Amino acid sequence: VRVKRGPGWMWDDQDGHGEGVVVGFAFSGFGWARVKWDCSGKMNNYRLGPEGAHDLLIVSPRETVTCRARHVLVPFTKSPGKGNNTCDQCDKRIPNGDPMHRCAACDYDLCPECYCRAAPGEAVVGGVVTSASLRKGARVQRGPDWKWAGQDGHGEGVILGASRGGWAEVRWDRSGDTNRYRVGQEDAHDLVFVVPRSQASASPVAAKSSPAVGDSVVLTEGYRACDDAAEGPLKPGDVGKVVRNSDRRLLVAAGGREWWYDREALRSANAGNPQA
């Protein structure tokens, strides 16, 4: 079971401010779970009721870090003698025996540092590219039927034009390669559109005035329409502090707890205040 720190947390940064996995139940007493943390590598026992405290919360799939195709990244350690992996975010080599997170289907890997910095569900992906929806200049990335290894450099590219028979020509940013990909040929779709960041983050907390880490935000009255915002530590009008920032969500600390909020649920604490 995947977990993160919960409302009763009192263990400083043992979790590395990330997720972990329950590896068993402690023998130190009834109601304790033993957890190994992804980011810090530490393993300790945590309360599941003793002292009236609950140190852990179960992580739902929506909160986990994904690859660009929305597959959840899972912990992985490569056996010695199998060659090194490279982090697809920072390009650092990951030696054999070191922990990492990966999507085997997309051959997408993150080192521990990049995984811990990643925001849950940070990838922003649109629909598949078809012959009808294809447009020159559109931003794309590998899609559900991708079979072309690392031609894309594990990044984004731009459509240069259409080719006959259900193919599109794409130039990739990272690798610099240009090739043709299926957008209907063989009933396959190698590409998906990348949603422009300005569209993905349009909200009361506007991208042009996006809060930085350390800024204060307020929960708005419309929070009930925003996923699980009601389960977070803020009530309407309460002020919290941004501790992490992604394109679509903000990690806010308040009352000794942290919670990922959709931007639509928040506004800047300074919004509407008169200028000095």
Side-chain angles (χ1 to χ4, degrees):
V1 176
R2 303 285 299 170
V3 294
K4 63 181 181 181
R5 64 169 63 182
W9 185 265
M10 55 176 284
W11 310 106
D12 297 322
D13 61 353
Q14 288 182 6
D15 58 350
H17 300 282
E19 299 173 8
V21 61
V22 175
V23 296
F25 295 93
F27 294 103
S28 57
F30 177 76
W32 291 74
R34 190 160 185 81
V35 177
K36 183 172 182 180
W37 299 106
D38 300 340
C39 299
S40 67
K42 295 179 179 178
M43 185 158 44
N44 280 294
N45 302 331
Y46 300 95
R47 299 167 296 178
L48 304 178
E51 305 171 15
H54 297 82
D55 293 324
L56 306 172
L57 290 173
I58 294 175
V59 177
S60 69
R62 187 186 60 77
E63 294 178 285
T64 56
V65 177
T66 66
C67 71
R68 292 180 179 273
R70 296 292 194 184
H71 303 137
V72 174
L73 302 188
V74 298
F76 178 78
T77 301
K78 178 168 278 191
S79 302
K82 298 294 185 179
N84 292 324
N85 286 59
T86 300
C87 176
D88 288 299
Q89 184 66 34
C90 69
D91 293 325
K92 183 180 75 175
R93 290 170 65 85
I94 306 173
N96 287 332
D98 280 14
M100 61 182 178
H101 283 75
R102 79 177 328 239
C103 168
C106 297
D107 190 24
Y108 183 86
D109 304 316
L110 287 184
C111 67
E113 291 80 9
C114 289
Y115 179 83
C116 292
R117 286 196 298 266
E122 191 164 35
V124 182
V125 182
V128 297
V129 181
T130 67
S131 296
S133 65
L134 182 153
R135 62 186 185 277
K136 184 177 180 179
R139 301 289 297 173
V140 294
Q141 62 191 44
R142 64 171 64 182
D145 298 314
W146 183 266
K147 66 172 188 177
W148 311 105
Q151 287 183 6
D152 59 351
H154 302 283
E156 299 175 6
V158 61
I159 292 179
L160 301 179
S163 298
R164 292 182 179 178
W167 294 78
E169 188 174 14
V170 176
R171 182 178 65 242
W172 299 105
D173 299 343
R174 290 187 180 179
S175 66
D177 290 344
T178 298
N179 279 294
R180 296 192 312 150
Y181 300 95
R182 300 167 297 175
V183 291
Q185 175 72 8
E186 303 172 8
D187 198 27
H189 298 85
D190 293 323
L191 307 170
V192 293
F193 290 110
V194 176
V195 178
R197 301 302 186 185
S198 58
Q199 294 179 20
S201 60
S203 68
V205 181
K208 64 181 180 181
S209 59
S210 179
V213 172
D215 287 353
S216 296
V217 290
V218 177
L219 188 68
T220 69
E221 291 292 341
Y223 73 96
R224 291 182 180 85
C226 299
D227 292 332
D228 57 356
E231 300 176 28
L234 296 177
K235 302 303 179 187
D238 286 352
V239 177
K241 181 174 290 187
V242 177
V243 294
R244 285 174 67 186
N245 191 338
S246 80
D247 285 331
R248 297 178 298 115
R249 309 189 78 196
L250 299 171
L251 182 62
V252 177
R257 296 175 59 193
E258 295 179 349
W259 198 264
W260 281 102
Y261 286 94
D262 289 346
R263 288 177 178 272
E264 289 81 359
L266 302 167
R267 64 174 175 81
S268 170
N270 296 321
N273 288 348
Q275 297 296 317

